[in-house]
Amino acid sequence: MAGSVERERSKPIIALAAAGRTYRLGKVRTEALQPTTLDIARGEYIAVTGRSGSGKSTFLNLISGIDRPTTGSVIVDGHDLGGLNESRLSRMRGRTIGIVFQFFELIPTLTAVENVILAMDLVGALPVRQRRDRAMALLEQVGIGAHARKRPSRLSGGEQQRVAIARALANDPPIIVADEPSGNLDSRNSDMVAAIFADCVKAGRTVI
Ligand code: ADP
Ligand code: MG
């Protein structure tokens, strides 16, 4: 038994097997991601680098199930994403992956704390009564508890990205996927985002 638990733990949390993505626009074919084979272990902190257009977002979108590979397979936390239908995929994504975007993508009509609660409402993992307290605790954790009742338009870029990170952590996912999360921030706020992600890794999450 202990051996099988150990094997479970040492299994890669993300495994790409010759996973590639080709776009076709009319007769034009773009190989956005060449077939890629890669294992990512639980608790790894990985940076993906490359020039603009080299396929970084394509790669991240395959991992987060926003997009599907045209060849090969992507396995995340034991789920072969190619084999999941839309609703199973979105359920898996909601519980397993927290996504952080370059332009935050907060809901403008909701306050900071409501943005975080919404992510919990969509997944339904936590009893309704506990959601607001957890959202507040997450906002405290990323240093913006005092701004919980503000709408995104009243927050700076760095503050909005902290809300987005709190939202990404809402359902306690083992994986965080962030695509240029500091691409729209100054260097001080970029350092802050990197520090929060380093804390996530210390807490056992996988951050890409
Ligand atoms: P990066 O994030 O590294 O800048 P991308 O993954 O966004 O790169 O893009 C990789 C390649 O795929 C680029 O040549 C890009 O033009 C192309 N591409 C990305 N998305 C699409 C799409 N929806 N339709 C057609 N081509 C695309
Ligand atoms: Mg990109």
Side-chain angles (χ1 to χ4, degrees):
M1 272 317 278
S4 75
V5 169
E6 205 41 58
R7 233 179 348 263
E8 203 52 41
R9 260 195 220 116
S10 59
K11 242 201 235 163
I13 191 161
I14 295 165
L16 275 71
R21 176 68 163 101
T22 300
Y23 289 104
R24 278 192 189 75
L25 291 173
K27 290 200 157 99
V28 185
R29 207 172 150 274
T30 306
E31 192 170 36
L33 185 72
Q34 290 174 13
T36 299
T37 297
L38 172 75
D39 283 352
I40 298 176
R42 228 168 254 280
E44 277 198 88
Y45 190 1
I46 294 197
V48 181
T49 64
R51 60 177 170 70
S52 174
S54 62
K56 302 182 296 295
S57 293
T58 303
F59 171 75
L60 294 174
N61 289 344
L62 293 186
I63 288 176
S64 57
I66 289 173
D67 195 8
R68 289 171 193 268
T70 42
T71 60
S73 69
V74 178
I75 295 178
V76 176
D77 203 20
H79 304 278
D80 184 343
L81 301 193
L84 299 181
N85 62 27
E86 247 351 283
S87 78
R88 281 172 180 266
L89 187 63
S90 81
R91 202 173 328 139
M92 187 287 303
R93 198 164 43 214
R95 287 173 185 266
T96 309
I97 305 174
I99 308 180
V100 179
F101 301 96
Q102 180 175 357
F103 297 105
F104 327 131
E105 312 293 350
L106 298 170
I107 308 247
T109 52
L110 299 180
T111 64
V113 69
E114 288 166 350
N115 266 279
V116 180
I117 292 170
L118 178 64
M120 299 179 200
D121 292 342
L122 293 172
V123 167
L126 199 70
V128 176
R129 288 176 285 106
Q130 294 170 25
R131 292 179 194 165
R132 180 167 294 267
D133 284 351
R134 174 166 171 80
M136 283 306 304
L138 287 167
L139 291 173
E140 296 286 348
Q141 191 186 316
V142 297
I144 46 162
H147 298 304
R149 288 164 175 279
K150 291 186 182 169
R151 294 219 172 102
S153 61
R154 293 184 48 216
L155 299 173
S156 71
E159 288 163 349
Q160 288 184 61
Q161 196 59 303
R162 291 183 206 222
V163 177
I165 293 171
R167 176 182 60 185
L169 294 171
N171 297 304
D172 197 20
I175 302 167
I176 302 284
V177 171
D179 192 353
E180 306 215 20
S182 47
N184 208 36
L185 301 177
D186 60 25
S187 64
R188 195 178 61 82
N189 280 303
S190 301
D191 291 347
M192 175 273 300
V193 167
I196 296 174
F197 286 156
D199 285 342
C200 290
V201 171
K202 276 196 202 113
R205 291 183 220 276
T206 306
V207 178
I208 305 160

